């Protein structure tokens, strides 16, 4: 897998986590799940979302390093 493919994969996962956050929030606002359960689910999803963001940032850095190396 190359960097571009990895970035696409983690961007898709990040977007899915964002969608999941919205779904959890909507369920809680509608009263479908208690606040404490929504908070627990949201905490888990936000942790995943932050991890995906970190991976994307690392891939951006790697991509920049590769471009600098190719120019040298």
């Amino acid at each position: 897998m190359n960097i571009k493919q990895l970035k696409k994969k983690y961007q898709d996962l990040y977007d899915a986590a964002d969608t999941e956050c919205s779904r959890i929030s909507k369920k809680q606002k509608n009263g479908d799940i208690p606040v404490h359960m929504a908070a627990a689910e949201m905490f888990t999803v936000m942790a995943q979302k932050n991890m995906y963001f970190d991976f994307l940032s690392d891939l951006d850095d790697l991509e920049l390093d590769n471009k600098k190396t190719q120019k040298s």
Side-chain angles (χ1 to χ4, degrees):
M1 224 180 230
N2 63 32
I3 293 174
K4 195 173 198 174
Q5 290 170 322
L6 284 171
K7 285 176 75 172
K8 168 97 173 86
K9 176 184 176 179
Y10 285 111
Q11 185 63 54
D12 289 348
L13 289 168
Y14 182 87
D15 293 343
D18 200 38
T19 301
E20 183 66 8
C21 286
S22 296
R23 185 192 66 77
I24 293 166
S25 180
K26 188 182 288 185
K27 281 177 66 176
Q28 192 276 318
K29 285 178 184 173
N30 289 339
D32 295 336
I33 58 174
V35 173
H36 70 282
M37 288 183 68
E41 286 184 41
M42 191 70 79
F43 180 81
T44 302
V45 173
M46 289 302 292
Q48 291 171 336
K49 190 174 171 182
N50 287 335
M51 180 181 65
Y52 300 144
F53 181 81
D54 288 344
F55 287 157
L56 286 167
S57 295
D58 290 346
L59 288 170
D60 283 341
D61 293 344
L62 183 61
E63 193 172 46
L64 285 174
D65 287 347
N66 284 344
K67 286 180 183 178
K68 287 178 185 175
T69 303
Q70 289 174 355
K71 286 183 180 179
S72 299

